[in-house]
Amino acid sequence: MKLLVLFGPNLNLLGEREKEVYGSSSFEDLKVMLQKEAKRIDIEIEVFQSNHEGEIIDCIHSKRKEVDGIIINPGAYTHYSIAIRDAIKAVNIPTIEVHLSNVYAREEFRHHSVIAPVCWGQISGLGFLGFVLAMEAFALKGERNEPGKTC
Ligand code: DQA
């Protein structure tokens, strides 16, 4: 099983950015942890981060024949990128949206995701653990041979 793990804008600044919200571990730390956990779970992951909407869409398009699932933290694009939503819908690959912070406990504009309705599920507020749980969910889905739910 191969998963694409996508990160949107400003997530490259983890560890520097609003530490009280996102913690003090860096994006590099996150990538190392993800690869370690992927190995443990016995799946392959490819990680990509961009601050540009079009690059995220290009990545989804270019990997569409290679991956069995997508895990995405779209950053602020969560709240307004119809283009990323359409890309996920277009490729028809099961996707889990993950947020480090609990977006529902924050400003009201973060309570709405335009991406979540085209996702298999959403995890919010569990920090780095959210990505591990998303990988576990895909692995379990594979083991149980459950249909990859897309919307
Ligand atoms: C975030 C939440 C978004 O509202 C915010 O714009 C981010 C990070 C999170 O992981 O908690 O950049 O996606």
Side-chain angles (χ1 to χ4, degrees), residues 83-109:
I84 293 176
R85 174 195 168 115
D86 284 352
I88 292 168
K89 183 89 177 157
V91 298
N92 203 32
I93 296 169
T95 298
I96 301 179
E97 180 183 303
V98 177
H99 298 286
L100 294 161
S101 65
N102 179 352
V103 287
Y104 302 99
R106 300 181 64 194
E107 301 96 324
E108 202 158 338
F109 66 84

Side-chain angles (χ1 to χ4, degrees), residues 17-139:
R17 167 194 188 204
E18 299 178 83
K19 286 187 188 176
E20 62 296 346
V21 178
Y22 301 113
S24 53
S25 299
S26 67
F27 186 60
E28 202 47 47
D29 294 336
L30 175 56
K31 284 196 290 187
V32 169
M33 185 280 286
L34 286 174
Q35 290 296 352
K36 198 175 136 214
E37 293 293 328
K39 209 169 167 190
R40 177 184 64 77
I41 299 167
D42 199 23
I43 56 171
E44 194 188 334
I45 59 167
E46 183 166 336
V47 180
F48 180 75
Q49 188 276 332
S50 176
N51 294 321
H52 306 277
E53 190 179 32
E55 284 186 0
I56 294 167
I57 294 162
D58 286 345
C59 183
I60 294 170
H61 289 183
S62 69
K63 300 293 171 188
R64 72 185 188 280
K65 304 264 196 254
E66 289 171 40
V67 298
D68 307 295
I70 298 172
I71 296 171
I72 185 166
N73 182 342
Y77 286 140
T78 304
H79 314 298
Y80 66 92
S81 178
I82 307 295
I84 293 176
R85 174 195 168 115
D86 284 352
I88 292 168
K89 183 89 177 157
V91 298
N92 203 32
I93 296 169
T95 298
I96 301 179
E97 180 183 303
V98 177
H99 298 286
L100 294 161
S101 65
N102 179 352
V103 287
Y104 302 99
R106 300 181 64 194
E107 301 96 324
E108 202 158 338
F109 66 84
R110 296 186 203 277
H111 297 183
H112 183 66
S113 168
V114 297
I115 312 285
V118 297
C119 290
W120 179 31
Q122 186 198 50
I123 298 171
S124 176
L126 304 184
F128 283 13
L129 195 53
F131 295 95
V132 180
L133 294 176
M135 289 194 288
E136 296 271 17
F138 274 114

